[in-house]
PDB file of all heavy atoms in Angstrom:
ATOM      1  N   ASP A  86     -76.248 -22.441   0.231  1.00  0.00           N
ATOM      2  CA  ASP A  86     -75.663 -23.797   0.459  1.00  0.00           C
ATOM      3  C   ASP A  86     -75.009 -23.731   1.880  1.00  0.00           C
ATOM      4  O   ASP A  86     -74.823 -24.774   2.567  1.00  0.00           O
ATOM      5  CB  ASP A  86     -74.623 -24.118  -0.510  1.00  0.00           C
ATOM      6  CG  ASP A  86     -75.184 -24.484  -1.903  1.00  0.00           C
ATOM      7  OD1 ASP A  86     -76.482 -24.758  -1.955  1.00  0.00           O
ATOM      8  OD2 ASP A  86     -74.426 -24.548  -2.904  1.00  0.00           O
ATOM      9  N   ARG A 192     -66.327 -21.117 -11.795  1.00  0.00           N
ATOM     10  CA  ARG A 192     -67.436 -21.324 -12.716  1.00  0.00           C
ATOM     11  C   ARG A 192     -67.558 -20.094 -13.652  1.00  0.00           C
ATOM     12  O   ARG A 192     -67.458 -18.980 -13.184  1.00  0.00           O
ATOM     13  CB  ARG A 192     -68.710 -21.488 -11.900  1.00  0.00           C
ATOM     14  CG  ARG A 192     -69.977 -21.405 -12.708  1.00  0.00           C
ATOM     15  CD  ARG A 192     -71.222 -21.842 -11.922  1.00  0.00           C
ATOM     16  NE  ARG A 192     -71.185 -23.222 -11.569  1.00  0.00           N
ATOM     17  CZ  ARG A 192     -72.176 -23.891 -11.010  1.00  0.00           C
ATOM     18  NH1 ARG A 192     -73.290 -23.247 -10.776  1.00  0.00           N
ATOM     19  NH2 ARG A 192     -72.061 -25.197 -10.778  1.00  0.00           N
ATOM     20  N   VAL A 233     -72.652 -27.614 -16.475  1.00  0.00           N
ATOM     21  CA  VAL A 233     -73.647 -27.755 -15.482  1.00  0.00           C
ATOM     22  C   VAL A 233     -74.945 -27.223 -15.999  1.00  0.00           C
ATOM     23  O   VAL A 233     -74.987 -26.039 -16.512  1.00  0.00           O
ATOM     24  CB  VAL A 233     -73.259 -26.960 -14.177  1.00  0.00           C
ATOM     25  CG1 VAL A 233     -74.243 -27.205 -13.048  1.00  0.00           C
ATOM     26  CG2 VAL A 233     -71.851 -27.418 -13.757  1.00  0.00           C
ATOM     27  N   ARG A 234     -76.024 -27.933 -15.966  1.00  0.00           N
ATOM     28  CA  ARG A 234     -77.383 -27.487 -16.485  1.00  0.00           C
ATOM     29  C   ARG A 234     -78.110 -27.185 -15.172  1.00  0.00           C
ATOM     30  O   ARG A 234     -77.886 -27.715 -14.113  1.00  0.00           O
ATOM     31  CB  ARG A 234     -77.997 -28.546 -17.225  1.00  0.00           C
ATOM     32  CG  ARG A 234     -77.071 -28.984 -18.503  1.00  0.00           C
ATOM     33  CD  ARG A 234     -77.789 -30.010 -19.290  1.00  0.00           C
ATOM     34  NE  ARG A 234     -78.859 -29.436 -20.190  1.00  0.00           N
ATOM     35  CZ  ARG A 234     -79.578 -30.098 -21.038  1.00  0.00           C
ATOM     36  NH1 ARG A 234     -79.383 -31.391 -21.196  1.00  0.00           N
ATOM     37  NH2 ARG A 234     -80.471 -29.472 -21.722  1.00  0.00           N
ATOM     38  N   GLY A 235     -79.222 -26.411 -15.333  1.00  0.00           N
ATOM     39  CA  GLY A 235     -80.134 -26.138 -14.092  1.00  0.00           C
ATOM     40  C   GLY A 235     -79.696 -24.928 -13.462  1.00  0.00           C
ATOM     41  O   GLY A 235     -80.100 -24.707 -12.228  1.00  0.00           O
ATOM     42  N   THR A 236     -78.870 -23.996 -13.993  1.00  0.00           N
ATOM     43  CA  THR A 236     -78.569 -22.786 -13.439  1.00  0.00           C
ATOM     44  C   THR A 236     -79.202 -21.652 -14.322  1.00  0.00           C
ATOM     45  O   THR A 236     -79.471 -22.029 -15.467  1.00  0.00           O
ATOM     46  CB  THR A 236     -77.035 -22.459 -13.376  1.00  0.00           C
ATOM     47  OG1 THR A 236     -76.576 -22.515 -14.816  1.00  0.00           O
ATOM     48  CG2 THR A 236     -76.219 -23.573 -12.734  1.00  0.00           C
ATOM     49  N   PRO A 237     -79.441 -20.493 -13.919  1.00  0.00           N
ATOM     50  CA  PRO A 237     -79.304 -20.031 -12.500  1.00  0.00           C
ATOM     51  C   PRO A 237     -80.474 -20.464 -11.651  1.00  0.00           C
ATOM     52  O   PRO A 237     -81.533 -20.795 -12.186  1.00  0.00           O
ATOM     53  CB  PRO A 237     -79.167 -18.481 -12.614  1.00  0.00           C
ATOM     54  CG  PRO A 237     -80.044 -18.171 -13.841  1.00  0.00           C
ATOM     55  CD  PRO A 237     -79.942 -19.385 -14.805  1.00  0.00           C
ATOM     56  N   HIS A 238     -80.334 -20.429 -10.543  1.00  0.00           N
ATOM     57  CA  HIS A 238     -81.157 -20.851  -9.481  1.00  0.00           C
ATOM     58  C   HIS A 238     -80.711 -19.847  -8.428  1.00  0.00           C
ATOM     59  O   HIS A 238     -79.556 -19.426  -8.563  1.00  0.00           O
ATOM     60  CB  HIS A 238     -80.569 -22.180  -9.015  1.00  0.00           C
ATOM     61  CG  HIS A 238     -79.066 -22.213  -9.093  1.00  0.00           C
ATOM     62  ND1 HIS A 238     -78.189 -21.185  -8.767  1.00  0.00           N
ATOM     63  CD2 HIS A 238     -78.232 -23.145  -9.641  1.00  0.00           C
ATOM     64  CE1 HIS A 238     -76.975 -21.416  -9.048  1.00  0.00           C
ATOM     65  NE2 HIS A 238     -76.937 -22.623  -9.581  1.00  0.00           N
ATOM     66  N   SER A 241     -80.167 -22.316  -3.825  1.00  0.00           N
ATOM     67  CA  SER A 241     -79.096 -23.279  -3.497  1.00  0.00           C
ATOM     68  C   SER A 241     -78.723 -23.952  -4.826  1.00  0.00           C
ATOM     69  O   SER A 241     -79.278 -23.702  -5.866  1.00  0.00           O
ATOM     70  CB  SER A 241     -79.617 -24.315  -2.538  1.00  0.00           C
ATOM     71  OG  SER A 241     -80.389 -25.312  -3.262  1.00  0.00           O
ATOM     72  N   SER A 242     -77.678 -24.867  -4.719  1.00  0.00           N
ATOM     73  CA  SER A 242     -77.297 -25.564  -5.925  1.00  0.00           C
ATOM     74  C   SER A 242     -78.095 -26.809  -6.239  1.00  0.00           C
ATOM     75  O   SER A 242     -77.845 -27.460  -7.161  1.00  0.00           O
ATOM     76  CB  SER A 242     -75.804 -26.049  -5.718  1.00  0.00           C
ATOM     77  OG  SER A 242     -75.087 -25.127  -5.125  1.00  0.00           O
ATOM     78  N   ALA A 243     -79.033 -27.056  -5.354  1.00  0.00           N
ATOM     79  CA  ALA A 243     -79.940 -28.181  -5.626  1.00  0.00           C
ATOM     80  C   ALA A 243     -80.575 -27.995  -7.039  1.00  0.00           C
ATOM     81  O   ALA A 243     -80.984 -26.947  -7.407  1.00  0.00           O
ATOM     82  CB  ALA A 243     -80.988 -28.307  -4.546  1.00  0.00           C
ATOM     83  N   GLY A 244     -80.685 -29.088  -7.724  1.00  0.00           N
ATOM     84  CA  GLY A 244     -81.311 -29.026  -9.090  1.00  0.00           C
ATOM     85  C   GLY A 244     -80.352 -28.936 -10.195  1.00  0.00           C
ATOM     86  O   GLY A 244     -80.747 -28.867 -11.332  1.00  0.00           O
ATOM     87  N   GLU A 245     -79.081 -28.799  -9.885  1.00  0.00           N
ATOM     88  CA  GLU A 245     -78.072 -28.748 -10.913  1.00  0.00           C
ATOM     89  C   GLU A 245     -77.704 -30.199 -11.449  1.00  0.00           C
ATOM     90  O   GLU A 245     -77.674 -31.030 -10.610  1.00  0.00           O
ATOM     91  CB  GLU A 245     -76.759 -28.129 -10.443  1.00  0.00           C
ATOM     92  CG  GLU A 245     -76.964 -26.643 -10.059  1.00  0.00           C
ATOM     93  CD  GLU A 245     -75.555 -26.025  -9.657  1.00  0.00           C
ATOM     94  OE1 GLU A 245     -74.597 -26.754  -9.520  1.00  0.00           O
ATOM     95  OE2 GLU A 245     -75.501 -24.771  -9.494  1.00  0.00           O
ATOM     96  N   THR A 246     -77.452 -30.249 -12.722  1.00  0.00           N
ATOM     97  CA  THR A 246     -76.842 -31.569 -13.200  1.00  0.00           C
ATOM     98  C   THR A 246     -75.505 -31.282 -13.812  1.00  0.00           C
ATOM     99  O   THR A 246     -75.408 -30.322 -14.587  1.00  0.00           O
ATOM    100  CB  THR A 246     -77.790 -32.357 -14.190  1.00  0.00           C
ATOM    101  OG1 THR A 246     -78.172 -31.395 -15.223  1.00  0.00           O
ATOM    102  CG2 THR A 246     -78.998 -32.922 -13.564  1.00  0.00           C
ATOM    103  N   ARG A 247     -74.554 -32.162 -13.512  1.00  0.00           N
ATOM    104  CA  ARG A 247     -73.205 -31.978 -14.068  1.00  0.00           C
ATOM    105  C   ARG A 247     -72.837 -33.009 -15.091  1.00  0.00           C
ATOM    106  O   ARG A 247     -73.020 -34.172 -14.857  1.00  0.00           O
ATOM    107  CB  ARG A 247     -72.184 -32.212 -12.890  1.00  0.00           C
ATOM    108  CG  ARG A 247     -72.198 -31.212 -11.763  1.00  0.00           C
ATOM    109  CD  ARG A 247     -70.946 -31.405 -10.962  1.00  0.00           C
ATOM    110  NE  ARG A 247     -70.529 -32.753 -10.632  1.00  0.00           N
ATOM    111  CZ  ARG A 247     -69.574 -33.057  -9.840  1.00  0.00           C
ATOM    112  NH1 ARG A 247     -68.777 -32.082  -9.297  1.00  0.00           N
ATOM    113  NH2 ARG A 247     -69.170 -34.320  -9.643  1.00  0.00           N
ATOM    114  N   GLU A 282     -79.788 -22.226 -24.037  1.00  0.00           N
ATOM    115  CA  GLU A 282     -79.821 -22.612 -22.609  1.00  0.00           C
ATOM    116  C   GLU A 282     -78.800 -21.894 -21.895  1.00  0.00           C
ATOM    117  O   GLU A 282     -77.656 -21.706 -22.409  1.00  0.00           O
ATOM    118  CB  GLU A 282     -79.695 -24.081 -22.501  1.00  0.00           C
ATOM    119  CG  GLU A 282     -79.902 -24.613 -21.123  1.00  0.00           C
ATOM    120  CD  GLU A 282     -79.987 -26.191 -21.086  1.00  0.00           C
ATOM    121  OE1 GLU A 282     -80.530 -26.796 -21.940  1.00  0.00           O
ATOM    122  OE2 GLU A 282     -79.417 -26.718 -20.083  1.00  0.00           O
TER     123      GLU A 282
END
Side-chain angles (χ1 to χ4, degrees):
D86 290 347
R192 170 171 291 189
V233 186
R234 306 180 76 178
T236 63
H238 36 42
S241 77
S242 323
E245 293 183 352
T246 49
R247 295 194 318 182
E282 186 171 322

